[in-house]
Structures are given as structure tokens and as C-alpha cells.
């Protein structure tokens, strides 16, 4: 428990991949851990959102195309070359230790305030006391604050309404009729998961656009790199 305001130069909110990458560059720039910068993470374990994803989720790219700065993600020994979420969690956990990043968890940030901040610093209020920082980096992501749209009749629907962030495994939906709403990657992956056990319907605003089977994250990375060059 932090009993009094703690002062740092830079405070990073979020200990997922974005927060760890920010910590890497702060460390390389010479900021001292705990006094120069600190990373506050709301999770109880390393890995950001990855420990909470659905069981079948895999990376879209081979490990070498999914690395954080400074250290490549270790190879994956699976047949298809695309690691599961557990491989990512192991990598992010090891990354924290490798660079001795000052991640404090679980710490929930309630507010970032600029008014009346002494010496131009921001005040960061948490469930474990207050912090003062010259710079605050928000690396929270969206997993814990999903956007749930409102649509007519949802308050009268008697079935299960589930956001992708709360989906885990397909077995509870065995034999049921399930509608998957949305045309993004999450919807497509959950559809493929549920289609094995349930009667599924996919609802999108526009016709889905599919890439050829040979196009994966590696191909897209190579194309983007070539265009950049």
C-alpha cells in the first residue's frame, strides 16, 4: 500500500505488450526503475490481456514477427508455426524479468488529474495511493473496457448475450443456435471455433473480405516493409 504520493518522472499505465515496450525504451534512455519510471498493471499476473483470451486464440504471425523491442520471441515448435496465447504469456513474463522492468501489480488506476498538480506534474490516483509524474503513458488497451453497442430489443432478449472479451471455449454452446455479430478478426475466429459445435449465423454490416490461405502475418509484414522501403 502506498501511504503517500510517490514521485516518478514517467508513469506507464498498463503492463501488456505496449507498456513493456515503453518500459524497454525508458530503460534504454537511462530512466532509473522505480524512481525514474514505473509501470502500473491492473492484472494479477504478467501477460496483459493474453491470459484472458479464448482458449483457441493463436498468433496470426510466426514468433519472429511478433516480438517486442530488444528481444525476439522464442520459436514455437508447433506444426503450423503460429503460437498459442500461452506462448505469448510466457514470452511477456520472461521479457519483464529479462529487462528488470519495474511493474507493480495489481494496481488499479482510478484517475489522472492535471489540476493543481505541483511543479507541472500529473497526479495519478490508484487503489493503492497516489503518484506524481511529469509524463503519463497510457498503455491500457481495451480488453477490460470492451465496447458493447446498444441495439433495439437487447433488453428483452432472453438468451445469452456475450462480448468477445468474455468468450472462452465453445463447449457450453454445443447444439445451440448462436449469432456472431461483427466482421472483424475476433468475430471470424470465434465463428470458426463455435461452428464445430453449434448452429452458427454470422452477421456483418458488409460482406467479409477474405485473404488467400497463403497470406498470413508474415506475408503482410513483408509487403508493408517493401512498401516502406
Amino acid at each position: 500500500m502506498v501511504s503517500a504520493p510517490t514521485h516518478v518522472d514517467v508513469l506507464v499505465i498498463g503492463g501488456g505488450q505496449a507498456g513493456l515496450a515503453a518500459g524497454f525504451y525508458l530503460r534504454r534512455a537511462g530512466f532509473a526503475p522505480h524512481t525514474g519510471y514505473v509501470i502500473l498493471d491492473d492484472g494479477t499476473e504478467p501477460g496483459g490481456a493474453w491470459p484472458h483470451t479464448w482458449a483457441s486464440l493463436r498468433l496470426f504471425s510466426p514468433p519472429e514477427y511478433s516480438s517486442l523491442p530488444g528481444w525476439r520471441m522464442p520459436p514455437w515448435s508447433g506444426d503450423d508455426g503460429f503460437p498459442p496465447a500461452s506462448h505469448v504469456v510466457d514470452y511477456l513474463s520472461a521479457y519483464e524479468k529479462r529487462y528488470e522492468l519495474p511493474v507493480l501489480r495489481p494496481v488499479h488506476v482510478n484517475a489522472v488529474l492535471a489540476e493543481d498538480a505541483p511543479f507541472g506534474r500529473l497526479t495519478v490516483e490508484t487503489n493503492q495511493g497516489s503518484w506524481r509524474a511529469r509524463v503519463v503513458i497510457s498503455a491500457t488497451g481495451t480488453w477490460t473496457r470492451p465496447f458493447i453497442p446498444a441495439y433495439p430489443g437487447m433488453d428483452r432478449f432472453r438468451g445469452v448475450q456475450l462480448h468477445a472479451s468474455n468468450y472462452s471455449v465453445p463447449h457450453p454452446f454445443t447444439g445451440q443456435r448462436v449469432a456472431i455479430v461483427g466482421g472483424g478478426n475476433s468475430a471470424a475466429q470465434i465463428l470458426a471455433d463455435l461452428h464445430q459445435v453449434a448452429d452458427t449465423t454470422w452477421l456483418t454490416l458488409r460482406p467479409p473480405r477474405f485473404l488467400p490461405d497463403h497470406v498470413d502475418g508474415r506475408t503482410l509484414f513483408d509487403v508493408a516493409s517493401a512498401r516502406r522501403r
Side-chain angles (χ1 to χ4, degrees):
M1 178 68 69
V2 179
S3 58
T6 301
H7 297 258
V8 292
D9 291 319
V10 183
L11 188 146
V12 181
I13 304 175
Q17 56 260 43
L20 298 184
F24 170 86
Y25 285 113
L26 289 167
R27 178 183 185 272
R28 193 172 74 171
F31 287 89
H34 297 290
T35 55
Y37 76 106
V38 71
I39 302 171
L40 304 182
D41 187 29
D42 192 24
T44 58
E45 59 184 322
W50 286 95
H52 312 290
T53 61
W54 53 92
S56 64
L57 182 63
R58 307 177 76 85
L59 281 179
F60 181 54
S61 306
E64 62 269 24
Y65 291 86
S66 306
S67 303
L68 295 186
W71 184 40
R72 282 198 168 192
M73 183 181 292
W76 169 246
S77 58
D79 295 336
D80 58 3
F82 301 106
S86 59
H87 186 77
V88 182
V89 172
D90 291 343
Y91 168 66
L92 296 179
S93 301
Y95 191 92
E96 281 188 30
K97 296 178 181 178
R98 180 184 180 92
Y99 293 108
E100 299 178 335
L101 298 178
V103 183
L104 303 181
R105 62 168 60 90
V107 180
H108 180 78
V109 173
N110 298 314
V112 178
L113 307 174
E115 59 268 22
D116 300 326
F119 311 110
R121 289 179 178 262
L122 298 167
T123 299
V124 180
E125 296 182 349
T126 79
N127 64 336
Q128 297 194 36
S130 298
W131 294 75
R132 297 263 169 78
R134 291 192 298 108
V135 176
V136 172
I137 298 176
S138 178
T140 58
T142 59
W143 191 263
T144 58
R145 290 294 182 90
F147 172 70
I148 302 177
Y151 49 88
M154 64 181 301
D155 56 333
R156 299 188 301 274
F157 180 67
R158 296 183 180 180
V160 175
Q161 299 181 69
L162 198 66
H163 189 273
S165 62
N166 300 120
Y167 174 74
S168 178
V169 293
H171 310 303
F173 303 93
T174 299
Q176 299 186 27
R177 296 171 59 194
V178 182
I180 297 91
V181 182
N185 289 349
S186 296
Q189 292 174 27
I190 293 175
L191 170 68
D193 214 23
L194 287 172
H195 184 69
Q196 304 175 63
V197 300
D199 178 9
T200 55
T201 300
W202 194 12
L203 306 174
T204 66
L205 288 175
R206 291 172 291 277
R209 297 180 60 186
F210 296 99
L211 295 173
D213 288 341
H214 68 278
V215 175
D216 57 19
R218 170 173 38 207
T219 302
L220 296 177
F221 183 89
D222 290 342
V223 170
S225 298
R227 288 181 177 177
R228 180 67 176 174
R229 289 194 295 268

